[in-house]
Amino acid sequence: MDWNVSRDRDGVTEWERADRLATVRIREKGGESGFVVRIDVLEQAADGPDYRRESVADEEAAEELAAEWREAFAEPE
């Protein structure tokens, strides 16, 4: 499943899954060093929607986590 950048400004980069049921976002922490990475999946599942949020120390770690989540939460075939 393809992910497209839907926002890239003001310290926030967000990808939206092609089916529009999931987003991954990286944002710089305000007033602190580091980044916050979050995924929000809106889909019908036995356990309901999935939302995760993690803080990381640097941009490289944020990019790696965002890529990992985009792969893990690709739309099922």
Side-chain angles (χ1 to χ4, degrees):
M1 172 54 53
D2 291 331
W3 292 82
N4 300 303
V5 174
S6 60
R7 179 179 179 177
D8 192 10
R9 65 181 182 282
D10 303 325
V12 175
T13 303
E14 182 172 87
W15 295 264
E16 183 176 58
R17 201 168 64 186
D19 65 359
R20 303 180 66 180
L21 295 178
T23 59
V24 173
R25 176 182 290 182
I26 296 174
R27 73 168 172 79
E28 295 181 64
K29 288 184 177 181
E32 299 179 38
S33 61
F35 292 79
V36 173
V37 183
R38 71 107 176 108
I39 184 163
D40 193 2
V41 181
L42 305 170
E43 60 186 35
Q44 295 297 323
D47 297 329
D50 197 353
Y51 182 88
R52 298 179 191 182
R53 180 182 180 274
E54 289 189 29
S55 294
V56 295
D58 57 45
E59 188 172 9
E60 183 178 338
E63 293 284 349
E64 288 174 9
L65 181 56
E68 179 183 313
W69 283 351
R70 289 193 311 269
E71 183 177 332
F73 289 91
E75 185 179 19
E77 294 184 22

